[in-house]
């Protein structure tokens, strides 16, 4: 029997269930540091099954962002403006979301497999100019760093936005 790894975020109204499969994880929006911004940045999306009143209520994609320092020694998790995994959650529910993110970045074999696949595809890319080569090498370094998050001395902090009501 092949059991799937899953994680559950229990909210006030429903259960949000992440099933650890490559098809349920998305890495997008890779940005490079520039003179105004000293981080690499990317968005990670996870598909969550929603269960309300013990019935399937649909799925949703939730996102969180990563800011990674140029020296690849520090990762900051941030809350995106739209479809945030932290949206409409109390502190306890946000802590459960952080535990899911921690699992995804450090332990998830499917996340690591997705990153390895992205590294392979990047290595196959045809880059020509010096700028493309620099960006290509930087992206490879960041992706390879994501494979070793659990082995590095990485500081993790969550930046959330305070919205006045």
């Amino acid at each position: 029997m092949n059991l799937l790894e899953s994680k559950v975020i229990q909210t006030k109204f429903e259960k949000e269930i992440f099933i650890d499969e490559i098809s349920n994880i998305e890495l997008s929006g890779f940005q490079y540091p520039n003179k105004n911004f000293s981080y690499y940045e990317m968005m990670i999306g996870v598909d969550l099954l929603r269960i309300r009143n013990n019935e399937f209520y649909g799925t949703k994609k939730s996102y969180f962002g990563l800011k990674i320092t140029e020296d690849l020694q520090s990762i900051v998790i941030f809350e995106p403006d739209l479809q945030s995994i932290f949206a409409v959650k109390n502190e306890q529910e946000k802590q459960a979301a952080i535990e899911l993110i921690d699992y995804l970045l450090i332990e998830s074999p499917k996340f690591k497999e997705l990153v390895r696949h992205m590294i392979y595809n990047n290595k196959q890319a045809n880059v020509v100019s010096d700028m493309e080569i620099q960006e290509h090498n930087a992206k490879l370094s960041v992706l390879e760093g994501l494979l070793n998050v659990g082995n590095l001395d990485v500081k993790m902090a969550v930046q959330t936005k305070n919205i006045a009501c």
Side-chain angles (χ1 to χ4, degrees):
M1 177 187 305
N2 185 13
L3 296 176
L4 295 175
E5 180 74 35
S6 65
K7 300 294 177 191
V8 178
I9 299 172
Q10 176 67 55
T11 69
K12 183 176 180 180
F13 300 106
E14 65 188 16
K15 293 176 181 78
E16 298 174 346
I17 303 169
F18 168 73
I19 298 174
D20 195 11
E21 284 294 323
I22 290 177
S23 61
N24 293 334
I25 307 167
E26 172 190 336
L27 271 73
S28 62
F30 193 88
Q31 295 181 5
Y32 301 92
N34 59 43
K35 62 183 177 183
N36 299 325
F37 189 70
S38 63
Y39 293 94
Y40 295 100
E41 188 174 293
M42 69 178 64
M43 298 301 293
I44 298 179
V46 291
D47 288 328
L48 300 169
L49 299 174
R50 300 169 67 196
I51 305 293
R52 262 191 200 176
N53 300 324
N54 295 322
E55 292 186 18
F56 179 69
Y57 192 70
T59 62
K60 74 175 183 177
K61 183 166 294 260
S62 292
Y63 290 89
F64 62 94
L66 295 181
K67 291 181 183 178
I68 304 169
T69 56
E70 287 187 81
D71 62 4
L72 305 175
Q73 293 301 307
S74 178
I75 295 177
V76 176
I77 300 165
F78 69 92
E79 182 174 2
D81 293 332
L82 299 173
Q83 294 179 283
S84 171
I85 196 166
F86 301 107
V88 264
K89 289 185 171 53
N90 64 33
E91 288 305 312
Q92 184 179 8
E93 296 163 355
K94 286 180 182 181
Q95 186 58 42
I98 291 169
E99 289 174 23
L100 170 60
I101 293 167
D102 185 58
Y103 166 78
L104 197 65
L105 295 176
I106 296 173
E107 298 176 39
S108 169
K110 297 301 180 179
F111 179 76
K112 303 279 189 215
E113 187 176 334
L114 175 64
V115 171
R116 280 191 291 275
H117 182 70
M118 291 179 74
I119 290 170
Y120 175 80
N121 286 343
N122 247 348
K123 287 182 177 179
Q124 304 304 315
N126 186 18
V127 292
V128 187
S129 71
D130 286 341
M131 177 76 135
E132 286 178 327
I133 292 170
Q134 283 181 321
E135 288 180 352
H136 175 79
N137 290 339
K139 189 171 185 177
L140 281 174
S141 294
V142 170
L143 289 171
E144 288 168 352
L146 284 177
L147 288 176
N148 299 312
V149 169
N151 298 335
L152 298 175
D153 181 25
V154 176
K155 302 169 200 152
M156 297 181 82
V158 178
Q159 293 180 339
T160 57
K161 295 181 179 177
N162 293 326
I163 301 172
C165 296

